[in-house]
Amino acid sequence: MPIDIADPDTLWARWGAHAAALAALGHHDVWWCDADGAHHDDHGGNWARLVLVEGDRAVLFGYDHEYSDTAWASPPVDLLAGAPAWLPWPELTRFAEEDQLGYVHWYDAGAWTRVAYPEPGLGDGLSATAGPVLDGDRARRELLDVVVEWGEHDAADEAAERADVTAAADRLLAAASGGLVDAAALGGLLGRLRPGRVDVAAGLAMAARAGLTPGTARPKVPAAADAPARRVRVLSDDQHDELVWAAMRAADETPRPAPAPTAELAALVDWARGRAPAWDGRCALVVQVTDSALSQHDGEAAPAQRPGEDGWTAFREAGDWTAGRRSSGRPGRCCWPRRSPTSGRRRPSPRPPSGDRRAARHAHRRVTGHRRAGRHAHGRVTRLPARARPAVSPR
């Protein structure tokens, strides 16, 4: 599928200009260039890479942990399907197998291309991670931020100074595009900062590594000869969980003796009774657990919210208990615990309830701060449990 973004040389020049300006301020690991390509890393789980390949080709790829919906689409999206053989496959396949690849765009014969996404508006994280090099206005704003934010520059006449910085940014970007970055171009942008704040030599060294100074060349990697055999995700996390949980529901309950009374069990019962929605001591907590996923469901008497709590407190407390139970289990097993204390006795559920499993899963991920709970554990290999073992509450 054709993509309309600037050509690789333009992207590279903007990337190198940002890298040089930040390096002059002592920051070498946010935007930078080396023999392997151009890099961006915000150190928050979001990154982008641009690699120039011999033969006037290039590849732009990256990932954003919030905006790369392509990484957890269901069914999965193979971002490398039909990709050309000359790509830097070791890097791409490593990120893909770790579910850390949100987009891959390759440039050949004067055009950018990527795989088609199943939905037109499916986010891939490109703008979130590589936005400052995608167009000229954003590139100028990024260099303005380098001066004002990174350089902590405070001008007396803010409007006039912003205009002057913008003009200096344009000159640096033009010099980078022509491979003519020098002390004057870099100093024109950063010379306004307080003395001792700027190391122009460090900035020029970064620009030289990017091939943006006179007499230097932009680094290019050799084209690969063949696309290697690779592992391709067939099931999404949601699809995998649905298969495992269906097997759990269909499996026979594993016989086990009633657990002996413990302080942990008594605390759980007290917690559930204290959250009885009708104040009658009856509360149902239903949890699906495997060694790679956890999901909660509302039973017929779901834990109630107490006055003054946010809407997730009860959910978090129940998840903390379940996570502890899961961590004590054996890998490759699963359970469907159900806790339904009443005012007098507690009993196991005769069958798992129905419910909106997807909503519960996503609610859990929102609470824990992860878009995918345990997504690296069994993301590519569907493992059905050899034997389900629902936990039975004591009588």
Side-chain angles (χ1 to χ4, degrees):
M1 177 176 177
I3 302 299
D4 185 18
I5 56 177
D7 63 87
D9 285 340
T10 300
L11 298 182
W12 185 275
R14 293 168 181 165
W15 211 304
H18 299 330
L22 283 172
L25 298 183
H27 303 287
H28 298 265
D29 60 352
V30 181
W31 296 89
W32 74 98
C33 300
D34 57 26
D36 297 321
H39 311 250
H40 169 56
D41 190 336
D42 72 354
H43 300 280
N46 314 305
W47 56 271
R49 293 271 283 107
L50 174 63
V51 179
L52 304 181
V53 182
E54 291 176 346
D56 294 324
R57 294 174 289 201
V59 57
L60 175 65
F61 56 101
Y63 171 79
D64 185 283
H65 77 278
E66 291 183 282
Y67 297 108
S68 290
D69 295 329
T70 47
W72 50 79
S74 184
V77 178
D78 181 7
L79 297 173
L80 298 171
W86 51 263
L87 293 179
W89 285 98
E91 253 191 313
L92 293 170
T93 53
R94 175 169 61 86
F95 286 122
E97 290 186 1
E98 293 174 352
D99 298 324
Q100 297 286 303
L101 194 62
Y103 58 89
V104 182
H105 304 257
W106 53 88
Y107 183 90
D108 196 8
W112 286 102
T113 305
R114 64 161 170 81
V115 300
Y117 298 158
E119 302 172 19
L122 188 66
D124 59 11
L126 172 64
S127 180
T129 55
V133 302
L134 295 181
D135 65 72
D137 286 340
R138 291 195 64 177
R140 281 189 291 273
R141 291 199 300 271
E142 185 74 9
L143 289 173
L144 178 63
D145 283 345
V146 170
V147 173
V148 176
E149 300 296 334
W150 294 85
E152 301 176 343
H153 181 56
D154 187 13
D157 187 341
E158 184 175 342
E161 184 68 0
R162 290 176 71 90
D164 189 59
V165 171
T166 300
D170 279 333
R171 291 192 293 272
L172 177 58
L173 289 168
S177 181
L180 299 173
V181 175
D182 56 15
L186 198 55
L189 179 72
L190 303 175
R192 67 200 71 236
L193 302 182
R194 65 180 183 270
R197 185 73 178 83
V198 180
D199 184 348
V200 173
L204 290 177
M206 178 66 74
R209 283 195 291 274
L212 302 182
T213 58
T216 62
R218 301 179 182 187
K220 297 184 179 182
V221 303
D226 295 297
R230 60 190 179 91
R231 301 174 67 188
V232 178
R233 176 188 277 272
V234 176
L235 296 177
S236 68
D237 284 345
D238 287 342
Q239 291 172 320
H240 171 270
D241 292 347
E242 293 290 343
L243 288 175
V244 172
W245 291 335
M248 291 162 63
R249 291 193 298 272
D252 294 333
E253 185 173 306
T254 301
R256 64 172 63 194
T262 64
E264 180 189 33
L265 182 57
L268 172 63
V269 171
D270 289 343
W271 176 88
R273 285 178 176 162
R275 292 208 175 260
W279 301 96
D280 59 357
R282 297 176 181 272
C283 178
L285 172 63
V286 184
V287 183
Q288 293 176 164
V289 186
T290 68
D291 50 349
S292 64
L294 178 153
S295 173
Q296 294 184 36
H297 301 260
D298 289 344
E300 60 272 20
Q305 180 180 342
R306 298 190 188 105
E309 291 181 340
D310 64 54
W312 296 101
T313 300
F315 199 94
R316 281 193 296 265
E317 290 177 355
D320 290 342
W321 171 80
T322 307
R325 295 285 295 177
R326 178 173 57 173
S327 66
S328 63
R330 287 177 290 170
R333 308 305 290 268
C334 58
C335 62
W336 187 306
R338 175 187 176 97
R339 293 293 179 262
S340 302
T342 67
S343 56
R345 61 196 295 269
R346 294 168 295 282
R347 58 180 176 81
S349 168
R351 61 181 176 83
S354 60
D356 187 346
R357 292 182 294 275
R358 180 166 304 202
R361 272 198 306 279
H362 286 280
H364 171 74
R365 289 162 188 154
R366 177 178 171 184
V367 170
T368 58
H370 297 285
R371 298 296 294 267
R372 283 291 181 265
R375 63 178 294 107
H376 303 305
H378 302 294
R380 287 157 298 281
V381 180
T382 301
R383 296 208 307 171
L384 298 182
R387 182 93 177 206
R389 43 176 201 153
V392 180
S393 57
R395 295 186 180 276

